[in-house]
Amino acid sequence: MHDEVRLGVEVHAARLAAQRRRPEDVTALRAALDGRRAASDADDTAFVDADIALHAAVVAAARNPVLTALFAEFTPVLREALIDLLSLTGLRENHPGHGDETHTALVEAVTDGVPDVAASALRTDLEATLKLLRERS
């Protein structure tokens, strides 16, 4: 499952991002979070694209080209799986900005340079998604 891979790649990337972020990464992360929030009023596809953009900004802030390449490699499959998940679950019907709290915590932890909190915020988000996928299987 893509979320099992994401747990390995992205949680590690979040930890590194909190250690290695630069001012331009902080700017990109905040812009991506704003974009995700703005997409909460859009359809599922636009929301997923904005969500992935935020996760890509976290991975980029890790400043590890191997992690960046791994994330880019599975992004197309991830995108389709997330769109399908939202369609199947109707998750955003009652919560259009689903996951805003954990994504905000992630961006704040990376910005503040707190690796364990960044990793924990991302792990919480991914494990919730993984749980939804398992319940639908």
PDB file of all heavy atoms in Angstrom, residues 1-3 81-94 98 127-137:
ATOM      1  N   MET A   1       0.839  -1.194   0.000  1.00  0.00           N
ATOM      2  CA  MET A   1       0.000   0.000   0.000  1.00  0.00           C
ATOM      3  C   MET A   1       0.877   1.247   0.000  1.00  0.00           C
ATOM      4  O   MET A   1       1.935   1.285   0.623  1.00  0.00           O
ATOM      5  CB  MET A   1      -0.896   0.020   1.225  1.00  0.00           C
ATOM      6  CG  MET A   1      -1.965  -1.011   1.262  1.00  0.00           C
ATOM      7  SD  MET A   1      -2.898  -0.769   2.778  1.00  0.00           S
ATOM      8  CE  MET A   1      -4.494  -1.165   2.182  1.00  0.00           C
ATOM      9  N   HIS A   2       0.376   2.243  -0.663  1.00  0.00           N
ATOM     10  CA  HIS A   2       1.155   3.474  -0.771  1.00  0.00           C
ATOM     11  C   HIS A   2       1.403   4.135   0.579  1.00  0.00           C
ATOM     12  O   HIS A   2       2.456   4.734   0.783  1.00  0.00           O
ATOM     13  CB  HIS A   2       0.480   4.453  -1.732  1.00  0.00           C
ATOM     14  CG  HIS A   2      -0.873   4.891  -1.300  1.00  0.00           C
ATOM     15  ND1 HIS A   2      -1.061   5.911  -0.406  1.00  0.00           N
ATOM     16  CD2 HIS A   2      -2.101   4.442  -1.617  1.00  0.00           C
ATOM     17  CE1 HIS A   2      -2.356   6.069  -0.190  1.00  0.00           C
ATOM     18  NE2 HIS A   2      -3.001   5.192  -0.917  1.00  0.00           N
ATOM     19  N   ASP A   3       0.463   4.033   1.500  1.00  0.00           N
ATOM     20  CA  ASP A   3       0.667   4.694   2.791  1.00  0.00           C
ATOM     21  C   ASP A   3       1.729   4.011   3.637  1.00  0.00           C
ATOM     22  O   ASP A   3       2.365   4.652   4.466  1.00  0.00           O
ATOM     23  CB  ASP A   3      -0.651   4.812   3.567  1.00  0.00           C
ATOM     24  CG  ASP A   3      -1.473   5.971   3.044  1.00  0.00           C
ATOM     25  OD1 ASP A   3      -0.941   7.092   3.049  1.00  0.00           O
ATOM     26  OD2 ASP A   3      -2.612   5.754   2.618  1.00  0.00           O
ATOM     27  N   ALA A  81      -4.858   7.027  -5.763  1.00  0.00           N
ATOM     28  CA  ALA A  81      -5.379   6.334  -4.581  1.00  0.00           C
ATOM     29  C   ALA A  81      -6.093   7.298  -3.643  1.00  0.00           C
ATOM     30  O   ALA A  81      -7.148   6.960  -3.084  1.00  0.00           O
ATOM     31  CB  ALA A  81      -4.239   5.623  -3.852  1.00  0.00           C
ATOM     32  N   LEU A  82      -5.548   8.501  -3.474  1.00  0.00           N
ATOM     33  CA  LEU A  82      -6.192   9.465  -2.589  1.00  0.00           C
ATOM     34  C   LEU A  82      -7.502   9.986  -3.170  1.00  0.00           C
ATOM     35  O   LEU A  82      -8.487  10.166  -2.438  1.00  0.00           O
ATOM     36  CB  LEU A  82      -5.237  10.627  -2.284  1.00  0.00           C
ATOM     37  CG  LEU A  82      -4.049  10.282  -1.395  1.00  0.00           C
ATOM     38  CD1 LEU A  82      -3.119  11.488  -1.260  1.00  0.00           C
ATOM     39  CD2 LEU A  82      -4.504   9.802  -0.030  1.00  0.00           C
ATOM     40  N   ILE A  83      -7.527  10.212  -4.466  1.00  0.00           N
ATOM     41  CA  ILE A  83      -8.778  10.640  -5.109  1.00  0.00           C
ATOM     42  C   ILE A  83      -9.832   9.548  -4.940  1.00  0.00           C
ATOM     43  O   ILE A  83     -10.982   9.834  -4.588  1.00  0.00           O
ATOM     44  CB  ILE A  83      -8.541  10.990  -6.593  1.00  0.00           C
ATOM     45  CG1 ILE A  83      -7.688  12.259  -6.707  1.00  0.00           C
ATOM     46  CG2 ILE A  83      -9.868  11.165  -7.328  1.00  0.00           C
ATOM     47  CD1 ILE A  83      -7.153  12.540  -8.100  1.00  0.00           C
ATOM     48  N   ASP A  84      -9.435   8.299  -5.161  1.00  0.00           N
ATOM     49  CA  ASP A  84     -10.368   7.180  -4.979  1.00  0.00           C
ATOM     50  C   ASP A  84     -10.841   7.080  -3.534  1.00  0.00           C
ATOM     51  O   ASP A  84     -12.020   6.853  -3.276  1.00  0.00           O
ATOM     52  CB  ASP A  84      -9.717   5.855  -5.384  1.00  0.00           C
ATOM     53  CG  ASP A  84      -9.515   5.733  -6.886  1.00  0.00           C
ATOM     54  OD1 ASP A  84     -10.097   6.536  -7.646  1.00  0.00           O
ATOM     55  OD2 ASP A  84      -8.748   4.827  -7.299  1.00  0.00           O
ATOM     56  N   LEU A  85      -9.916   7.251  -2.593  1.00  0.00           N
ATOM     57  CA  LEU A  85     -10.273   7.174  -1.181  1.00  0.00           C
ATOM     58  C   LEU A  85     -11.330   8.224  -0.824  1.00  0.00           C
ATOM     59  O   LEU A  85     -12.323   7.926  -0.164  1.00  0.00           O
ATOM     60  CB  LEU A  85      -9.034   7.363  -0.298  1.00  0.00           C
ATOM     61  CG  LEU A  85      -9.294   7.433   1.200  1.00  0.00           C
ATOM     62  CD1 LEU A  85      -9.741   6.079   1.741  1.00  0.00           C
ATOM     63  CD2 LEU A  85      -8.055   7.906   1.935  1.00  0.00           C
ATOM     64  N   LEU A  86     -11.117   9.434  -1.270  1.00  0.00           N
ATOM     65  CA  LEU A  86     -12.077  10.495  -0.964  1.00  0.00           C
ATOM     66  C   LEU A  86     -13.426  10.215  -1.619  1.00  0.00           C
ATOM     67  O   LEU A  86     -14.473  10.449  -1.015  1.00  0.00           O
ATOM     68  CB  LEU A  86     -11.534  11.854  -1.405  1.00  0.00           C
ATOM     69  CG  LEU A  86     -10.333  12.365  -0.614  1.00  0.00           C
ATOM     70  CD1 LEU A  86      -9.862  13.704  -1.174  1.00  0.00           C
ATOM     71  CD2 LEU A  86     -10.656  12.487   0.869  1.00  0.00           C
ATOM     72  N   SER A  87     -13.387   9.699  -2.810  1.00  0.00           N
ATOM     73  CA  SER A  87     -14.626   9.367  -3.512  1.00  0.00           C
ATOM     74  C   SER A  87     -15.389   8.252  -2.793  1.00  0.00           C
ATOM     75  O   SER A  87     -16.603   8.337  -2.610  1.00  0.00           O
ATOM     76  CB  SER A  87     -14.300   8.948  -4.942  1.00  0.00           C
ATOM     77  OG  SER A  87     -15.467   8.533  -5.601  1.00  0.00           O
ATOM     78  N   LEU A  88     -14.669   7.224  -2.368  1.00  0.00           N
ATOM     79  CA  LEU A  88     -15.306   6.086  -1.708  1.00  0.00           C
ATOM     80  C   LEU A  88     -15.824   6.416  -0.315  1.00  0.00           C
ATOM     81  O   LEU A  88     -16.860   5.895   0.107  1.00  0.00           O
ATOM     82  CB  LEU A  88     -14.313   4.924  -1.592  1.00  0.00           C
ATOM     83  CG  LEU A  88     -13.946   4.212  -2.881  1.00  0.00           C
ATOM     84  CD1 LEU A  88     -12.792   3.246  -2.639  1.00  0.00           C
ATOM     85  CD2 LEU A  88     -15.152   3.464  -3.436  1.00  0.00           C
ATOM     86  N   THR A  89     -15.107   7.243   0.403  1.00  0.00           N
ATOM     87  CA  THR A  89     -15.461   7.495   1.803  1.00  0.00           C
ATOM     88  C   THR A  89     -16.353   8.721   1.994  1.00  0.00           C
ATOM     89  O   THR A  89     -17.006   8.840   3.031  1.00  0.00           O
ATOM     90  CB  THR A  89     -14.202   7.706   2.662  1.00  0.00           C
ATOM     91  OG1 THR A  89     -13.499   8.857   2.191  1.00  0.00           O
ATOM     92  CG2 THR A  89     -13.315   6.474   2.645  1.00  0.00           C
ATOM     93  N   GLY A  90     -16.355   9.641   1.029  1.00  0.00           N
ATOM     94  CA  GLY A  90     -17.094  10.885   1.227  1.00  0.00           C
ATOM     95  C   GLY A  90     -16.543  11.681   2.397  1.00  0.00           C
ATOM     96  O   GLY A  90     -17.231  12.475   3.028  1.00  0.00           O
ATOM     97  N   LEU A  91     -15.280  11.457   2.690  1.00  0.00           N
ATOM     98  CA  LEU A  91     -14.617  12.013   3.865  1.00  0.00           C
ATOM     99  C   LEU A  91     -14.737  13.531   3.970  1.00  0.00           C
ATOM    100  O   LEU A  91     -14.853  14.076   5.055  1.00  0.00           O
ATOM    101  CB  LEU A  91     -13.136  11.613   3.822  1.00  0.00           C
ATOM    102  CG  LEU A  91     -12.298  11.836   5.048  1.00  0.00           C
ATOM    103  CD1 LEU A  91     -12.830  11.010   6.209  1.00  0.00           C
ATOM    104  CD2 LEU A  91     -10.858  11.461   4.759  1.00  0.00           C
ATOM    105  N   ARG A  92     -14.736  14.204   2.844  1.00  0.00           N
ATOM    106  CA  ARG A  92     -14.748  15.665   2.867  1.00  0.00           C
ATOM    107  C   ARG A  92     -16.151  16.262   2.889  1.00  0.00           C
ATOM    108  O   ARG A  92     -16.301  17.474   2.982  1.00  0.00           O
ATOM    109  CB  ARG A  92     -13.967  16.195   1.666  1.00  0.00           C
ATOM    110  CG  ARG A  92     -12.497  15.825   1.725  1.00  0.00           C
ATOM    111  CD  ARG A  92     -11.717  16.404   0.555  1.00  0.00           C
ATOM    112  NE  ARG A  92     -11.857  17.849   0.509  1.00  0.00           N
ATOM    113  CZ  ARG A  92     -12.252  18.530  -0.578  1.00  0.00           C
ATOM    114  NH1 ARG A  92     -12.516  17.919  -1.704  1.00  0.00           N
ATOM    115  NH2 ARG A  92     -12.365  19.847  -0.528  1.00  0.00           N
ATOM    116  N   GLU A  93     -17.167  15.428   2.833  1.00  0.00           N
ATOM    117  CA  GLU A  93     -18.531  15.953   2.819  1.00  0.00           C
ATOM    118  C   GLU A  93     -18.827  16.777   4.069  1.00  0.00           C
ATOM    119  O   GLU A  93     -19.428  17.843   3.979  1.00  0.00           O
ATOM    120  CB  GLU A  93     -19.539  14.820   2.672  1.00  0.00           C
ATOM    121  CG  GLU A  93     -19.522  14.192   1.294  1.00  0.00           C
ATOM    122  CD  GLU A  93     -20.408  12.967   1.191  1.00  0.00           C
ATOM    123  OE1 GLU A  93     -21.209  12.702   2.116  1.00  0.00           O
ATOM    124  OE2 GLU A  93     -20.284  12.276   0.170  1.00  0.00           O
ATOM    125  N   ASN A  94     -18.423  16.290   5.207  1.00  0.00           N
ATOM    126  CA  ASN A  94     -18.659  17.011   6.462  1.00  0.00           C
ATOM    127  C   ASN A  94     -17.448  17.822   6.908  1.00  0.00           C
ATOM    128  O   ASN A  94     -17.569  18.698   7.762  1.00  0.00           O
ATOM    129  CB  ASN A  94     -19.047  16.030   7.572  1.00  0.00           C
ATOM    130  CG  ASN A  94     -20.378  15.378   7.298  1.00  0.00           C
ATOM    131  OD1 ASN A  94     -21.301  16.007   6.794  1.00  0.00           O
ATOM    132  ND2 ASN A  94     -20.486  14.098   7.603  1.00  0.00           N
ATOM    133  N   HIS A  98     -10.438  18.361   5.542  1.00  0.00           N
ATOM    134  CA  HIS A  98     -10.017  17.210   6.337  1.00  0.00           C
ATOM    135  C   HIS A  98      -8.502  17.183   6.556  1.00  0.00           C
ATOM    136  O   HIS A  98      -7.729  17.311   5.616  1.00  0.00           O
ATOM    137  CB  HIS A  98     -10.453  15.909   5.659  1.00  0.00           C
ATOM    138  CG  HIS A  98      -9.961  14.692   6.349  1.00  0.00           C
ATOM    139  ND1 HIS A  98     -10.510  14.246   7.521  1.00  0.00           N
ATOM    140  CD2 HIS A  98      -8.945  13.854   6.064  1.00  0.00           C
ATOM    141  CE1 HIS A  98      -9.862  13.175   7.921  1.00  0.00           C
ATOM    142  NE2 HIS A  98      -8.906  12.916   7.061  1.00  0.00           N
ATOM    143  N   GLU A 127      -1.225   7.448   9.349  1.00  0.00           N
ATOM    144  CA  GLU A 127      -1.844   6.279   9.983  1.00  0.00           C
ATOM    145  C   GLU A 127      -3.369   6.370   9.943  1.00  0.00           C
ATOM    146  O   GLU A 127      -4.045   5.356   9.789  1.00  0.00           O
ATOM    147  CB  GLU A 127      -1.332   6.108  11.406  1.00  0.00           C
ATOM    148  CG  GLU A 127       0.095   5.568  11.430  1.00  0.00           C
ATOM    149  CD  GLU A 127       0.689   5.451  12.816  1.00  0.00           C
ATOM    150  OE1 GLU A 127       0.103   5.980  13.795  1.00  0.00           O
ATOM    151  OE2 GLU A 127       1.764   4.819  12.933  1.00  0.00           O
ATOM    152  N   ALA A 128      -3.905   7.571  10.039  1.00  0.00           N
ATOM    153  CA  ALA A 128      -5.362   7.740   9.926  1.00  0.00           C
ATOM    154  C   ALA A 128      -5.829   7.378   8.518  1.00  0.00           C
ATOM    155  O   ALA A 128      -6.852   6.703   8.348  1.00  0.00           O
ATOM    156  CB  ALA A 128      -5.750   9.174  10.270  1.00  0.00           C
ATOM    157  N   THR A 129      -5.069   7.788   7.520  1.00  0.00           N
ATOM    158  CA  THR A 129      -5.410   7.440   6.139  1.00  0.00           C
ATOM    159  C   THR A 129      -5.287   5.940   5.921  1.00  0.00           C
ATOM    160  O   THR A 129      -6.157   5.315   5.292  1.00  0.00           O
ATOM    161  CB  THR A 129      -4.500   8.202   5.156  1.00  0.00           C
ATOM    162  OG1 THR A 129      -4.636   9.603   5.388  1.00  0.00           O
ATOM    163  CG2 THR A 129      -4.869   7.895   3.714  1.00  0.00           C
ATOM    164  N   LEU A 130      -4.242   5.343   6.437  1.00  0.00           N
ATOM    165  CA  LEU A 130      -4.039   3.906   6.307  1.00  0.00           C
ATOM    166  C   LEU A 130      -5.188   3.135   6.968  1.00  0.00           C
ATOM    167  O   LEU A 130      -5.683   2.148   6.418  1.00  0.00           O
ATOM    168  CB  LEU A 130      -2.689   3.509   6.927  1.00  0.00           C
ATOM    169  CG  LEU A 130      -2.221   2.093   6.710  1.00  0.00           C
ATOM    170  CD1 LEU A 130      -2.155   1.732   5.237  1.00  0.00           C
ATOM    171  CD2 LEU A 130      -0.851   1.899   7.357  1.00  0.00           C
ATOM    172  N   LYS A 131      -5.644   3.610   8.097  1.00  0.00           N
ATOM    173  CA  LYS A 131      -6.763   2.969   8.784  1.00  0.00           C
ATOM    174  C   LYS A 131      -8.026   3.022   7.918  1.00  0.00           C
ATOM    175  O   LYS A 131      -8.757   2.031   7.802  1.00  0.00           O
ATOM    176  CB  LYS A 131      -7.015   3.659  10.130  1.00  0.00           C
ATOM    177  CG  LYS A 131      -8.155   3.053  10.913  1.00  0.00           C
ATOM    178  CD  LYS A 131      -8.366   3.754  12.235  1.00  0.00           C
ATOM    179  CE  LYS A 131      -9.578   3.144  12.942  1.00  0.00           C
ATOM    180  NZ  LYS A 131      -9.999   3.925  14.079  1.00  0.00           N
ATOM    181  N   LEU A 132      -8.279   4.173   7.292  1.00  0.00           N
ATOM    182  CA  LEU A 132      -9.432   4.284   6.410  1.00  0.00           C
ATOM    183  C   LEU A 132      -9.339   3.307   5.244  1.00  0.00           C
ATOM    184  O   LEU A 132     -10.322   2.674   4.870  1.00  0.00           O
ATOM    185  CB  LEU A 132      -9.545   5.707   5.864  1.00  0.00           C
ATOM    186  CG  LEU A 132     -10.126   6.760   6.780  1.00  0.00           C
ATOM    187  CD1 LEU A 132      -9.987   8.134   6.141  1.00  0.00           C
ATOM    188  CD2 LEU A 132     -11.598   6.455   7.066  1.00  0.00           C
ATOM    189  N   LEU A 133      -8.156   3.200   4.675  1.00  0.00           N
ATOM    190  CA  LEU A 133      -7.959   2.274   3.563  1.00  0.00           C
ATOM    191  C   LEU A 133      -8.190   0.831   3.992  1.00  0.00           C
ATOM    192  O   LEU A 133      -8.825   0.058   3.260  1.00  0.00           O
ATOM    193  CB  LEU A 133      -6.543   2.422   2.995  1.00  0.00           C
ATOM    194  CG  LEU A 133      -6.283   3.676   2.190  1.00  0.00           C
ATOM    195  CD1 LEU A 133      -4.805   3.809   1.883  1.00  0.00           C
ATOM    196  CD2 LEU A 133      -7.109   3.667   0.909  1.00  0.00           C
ATOM    197  N   ARG A 134      -7.710   0.471   5.147  1.00  0.00           N
ATOM    198  CA  ARG A 134      -7.896  -0.912   5.630  1.00  0.00           C
ATOM    199  C   ARG A 134      -9.368  -1.203   5.908  1.00  0.00           C
ATOM    200  O   ARG A 134      -9.840  -2.308   5.677  1.00  0.00           O
ATOM    201  CB  ARG A 134      -7.043  -1.148   6.871  1.00  0.00           C
ATOM    202  CG  ARG A 134      -5.573  -1.254   6.516  1.00  0.00           C
ATOM    203  CD  ARG A 134      -4.726  -1.543   7.730  1.00  0.00           C
ATOM    204  NE  ARG A 134      -3.333  -1.699   7.320  1.00  0.00           N
ATOM    205  CZ  ARG A 134      -2.301  -1.399   8.071  1.00  0.00           C
ATOM    206  NH1 ARG A 134      -2.492  -0.940   9.299  1.00  0.00           N
ATOM    207  NH2 ARG A 134      -1.087  -1.569   7.627  1.00  0.00           N
ATOM    208  N   GLU A 135     -10.084  -0.209   6.421  1.00  0.00           N
ATOM    209  CA  GLU A 135     -11.510  -0.393   6.701  1.00  0.00           C
ATOM    210  C   GLU A 135     -12.307  -0.573   5.425  1.00  0.00           C
ATOM    211  O   GLU A 135     -13.323  -1.231   5.410  1.00  0.00           O
ATOM    212  CB  GLU A 135     -12.051   0.805   7.486  1.00  0.00           C
ATOM    213  CG  GLU A 135     -11.570   0.860   8.915  1.00  0.00           C
ATOM    214  CD  GLU A 135     -11.936   2.146   9.627  1.00  0.00           C
ATOM    215  OE1 GLU A 135     -12.519   3.070   8.985  1.00  0.00           O
ATOM    216  OE2 GLU A 135     -11.644   2.254  10.831  1.00  0.00           O
ATOM    217  N   ARG A 136     -11.826   0.022   4.328  1.00  0.00           N
ATOM    218  CA  ARG A 136     -12.507  -0.074   3.033  1.00  0.00           C
ATOM    219  C   ARG A 136     -12.141  -1.320   2.258  1.00  0.00           C
ATOM    220  O   ARG A 136     -12.767  -1.639   1.283  1.00  0.00           O
ATOM    221  CB  ARG A 136     -12.203   1.163   2.174  1.00  0.00           C
ATOM    222  CG  ARG A 136     -12.711   2.429   2.766  1.00  0.00           C
ATOM    223  CD  ARG A 136     -14.212   2.444   2.687  1.00  0.00           C
ATOM    224  NE  ARG A 136     -14.735   3.576   3.424  1.00  0.00           N
ATOM    225  CZ  ARG A 136     -15.997   3.764   3.658  1.00  0.00           C
ATOM    226  NH1 ARG A 136     -16.888   2.919   3.212  1.00  0.00           N
ATOM    227  NH2 ARG A 136     -16.410   4.813   4.323  1.00  0.00           N
ATOM    228  N   SER A 137     -11.093  -2.024   2.695  1.00  0.00           N
ATOM    229  CA  SER A 137     -10.638  -3.221   1.951  1.00  0.00           C
ATOM    230  C   SER A 137     -11.505  -4.425   2.243  1.00  0.00           C
ATOM    231  O   SER A 137     -12.094  -4.600   3.232  1.00  0.00           O
ATOM    232  CB  SER A 137      -9.205  -3.551   2.332  1.00  0.00           C
ATOM    233  OG  SER A 137      -8.364  -2.502   1.975  1.00  0.00           O
TER     234      SER A 137
END
